[in-house]
Amino acid sequence: MKENGLKRWKWKSLRIMAAGGVMAAFLAGGAMTAGAAGGLDMYTEYPGMTAKAGDDLTFNLDFSNSGAGCDASLSVQSMPEGWSGYISGGSSRISQIHVPTGTDTASAVFQLEIPADTADGSYQVVLEARAGGEVYDTLTLNLDVNELEVSQGDFSSEYPEQEGTAGTSFSFNATLINNSAATQSYSLSAESPDGWQVSFTPSGESSQVASIQLDPAASQGLTVKVVPPDNVAAGEYTIHCSAISGSETLGMDLTVKVTEKYDLSLSTPDGRLSFDTHANEESDVTLSITNNSNVAVENVNLTASAPSDWNVSFDTPTIDVIEAGATVEVTAHVTPSDQALTGDYVVTMNAGCSAVSDSADFRVTVETSMLWGVVAVAVIAALLAGIGYVFRKYGRR
């Protein structure tokens, strides 16, 4: 009896163990299948994007695998009609990728071309990576195609650098773009060195503006006029221009390179270019030499061209340096010839250095000396006295 009970207990235990083994094997097999099916992962950082018809998009694909390493076949599962795309690795199109196990990952790139005639709307592209059986994953890319791609506006010039001498007016052609989905009113301003003038004029117009309003996805050409001071020093200057609305601040830098400009002016303090003198008599004339250059000029020599036998000298024949915008006064001493007759003569004064020069013609009037006037009066008086004497002596006969 006990023996039969023992056999029954052993048999029951055996059946329980067998059932437990089958269950364990089933669970183990299920875990392996589930692990394989969920181990492959294909993903991208930005699976949803906004684009315009005609755009070419690039999606970086990453692959990870929590199961055993595998070779996964890659394909485009579905895509809108007329669209085209392919998966590449390195510089070639690929159809498979090896995905290692653990923390190591693999990567590829999906290139997508949206036809230029695509209507606005929402579209999906589904990619698949399959390692066989239940080991696979899909990735859905969501594309919103709009004629207007909302982004930051732009304020720029095709040629933002110009060069010229001081006194030159520089004109830059710029474009202001409103890329937002709303109408924007932009305030226009510029940061420039002291004494500079900057103005904004819409293309095709003549009136300057301080602000401008743009519709969504609209652009406006602008002429930015930059006028430096006449005596601005040579060098490179940056003018920062801004277009500011309620939602964004756009800016661009314009560069003006001012080159050396030489300009020398010779005159007198009151502007008169004439004076009176007498033969063999020295007359002093004050000359003003102004440096209108944007750089200093050195070794400015003073010379003169005068009639024959005249003498012209200067108290400072050579000026060592005249700073930009400065004026130096020099005295010229002019002595006509002792044989100079009464009348008008021309004396040319010159001031110049190796870089620049200027001259001025002076009208010099030579007048009769007072001594000769006295002599003439005396001669006339003597002649009258002589004639009177003759009439008195012989008039009675």
Side-chain angles (χ1 to χ4, degrees):
M1 191 70 172
K2 291 181 179 180
E3 185 177 352
N4 291 336
L6 181 59
K7 288 181 179 180
R8 285 198 299 270
W9 179 81
K10 288 182 177 180
W11 174 249
K12 185 177 180 179
S13 299
L14 184 59
R15 284 186 297 174
I16 293 173
M17 291 176 62
V22 172
M23 182 62 69
F26 174 80
L27 293 176
M32 289 175 61
T33 302
L40 184 62
D41 185 20
M42 174 173 55
Y43 57 94
T44 186
E45 189 172 4
Y46 304 108
M49 295 183 68
T50 299
K52 294 185 296 184
D55 279 354
D56 294 337
L57 304 180
T58 299
F59 295 86
N60 294 317
L61 305 178
D62 292 304
F63 301 84
S64 63
N65 186 9
S66 60
C70 62
D71 292 331
S73 298
L74 306 176
S75 63
V76 179
Q77 191 179 89
S78 64
M79 187 163 49
E81 184 177 357
W83 292 35
S84 61
Y86 61 90
I87 300 173
S88 64
S91 59
S92 304
R93 297 190 182 192
I94 61 174
S95 59
Q96 283 188 322
I97 189 169
H98 178 75
V99 185
T101 186
T103 58
D104 294 334
T105 60
S107 61
V109 174
F110 177 59
Q111 306 284 355
L112 177 64
E113 298 179 9
I114 302 176
D117 59 354
T118 301
D120 289 359
S122 297
Y123 300 85
Q124 286 188 340
V125 176
V126 180
L127 306 180
E128 181 183 83
R130 181 178 291 275
E134 297 298 322
V135 183
Y136 71 93
D137 192 22
T138 60
L139 173 62
T140 300
L141 305 176
N142 297 292
L143 287 307
D144 289 328
V145 177
N146 293 306
E147 181 181 354
L148 172 65
E149 182 180 1
V150 178
S151 63
Q152 180 82 359
D154 184 66
F155 190 28
S156 60
S157 174
E158 185 177 3
Y159 302 103
E161 298 182 7
Q162 292 189 23
E163 179 179 312
T165 60
T168 301
S169 296
F170 301 89
S171 291
F172 296 85
N173 294 323
T175 303
L176 177 60
I177 302 175
N178 176 16
N179 277 331
S180 71
T183 299
Q184 299 256 38
S185 181
Y186 295 92
S187 175
L188 305 174
S189 62
E191 298 175 11
S192 60
D194 292 340
W196 290 56
Q197 297 178 359
V198 182
S199 61
F200 302 88
T201 304
S203 298
E205 299 184 16
S206 58
S207 300
Q208 300 176 7
V209 297
S211 63
I212 194 167
Q213 182 170 293
L214 291 181
D215 293 330
S219 63
Q220 174 65 57
L222 293 169
T223 298
V224 184
K225 188 175 182 180
V226 179
V227 182
D230 289 338
N231 61 345
V232 64
E236 189 170 285
Y237 300 85
T238 299
I239 297 90
H240 181 73
C241 300
S242 300
I244 304 175
S245 69
S247 60
E248 62 182 0
T249 298
L250 308 176
M252 69 172 175
D253 287 334
L254 303 177
T255 300
V256 170
K257 185 177 181 180
V258 179
T259 58
E260 294 180 348
K261 168 194 171 185
Y262 291 96
D263 184 14
L264 201 64
S265 175
L266 187 152
S267 186
T268 61
D270 59 4
R272 288 186 57 191
L273 298 179
S274 64
F275 61 93
D276 300 334
T277 186
H278 300 91
N280 202 33
E281 179 181 307
E282 183 180 283
S283 296
D284 292 342
V285 180
T286 301
L287 305 178
S288 297
I289 298 91
T290 302
N291 180 15
N292 298 313
S293 311
N294 60 354
V295 293
V297 292
E298 299 178 349
N299 298 322
V300 178
N301 296 312
L302 298 171
T303 59
S305 176
S308 177
D309 295 330
W310 287 43
N311 181 57
V312 180
S313 62
F314 303 91
D315 62 349
T316 307
T318 300
I319 304 171
D320 292 336
V321 61
I322 307 177
E323 298 295 337
T327 298
V328 174
E329 293 187 350
V330 174
T331 300
H333 310 286
V334 181
T335 304
S337 167
D338 57 359
Q339 301 298 320
L341 301 177
T342 300
D344 291 337
Y345 298 83
V346 175
V347 175
T348 302
M349 306 288 186
N350 305 287
C353 61
S354 59
V356 63
S357 65
D358 190 34
S359 63
D361 291 333
F362 285 78
R363 181 174 61 84
V364 182
T365 300
V366 176
E367 298 176 339
T368 302
S369 173
M370 291 297 295
L371 176 62
W372 289 108
V374 171
V375 171
V377 171
V379 170
I380 293 172
L383 288 174
L384 291 175
I387 293 172
Y389 172 77
V390 170
F391 273 103
R392 285 195 302 271
K393 182 174 181 179
Y394 299 104
R396 299 174 181 177
R397 295 181 180 181

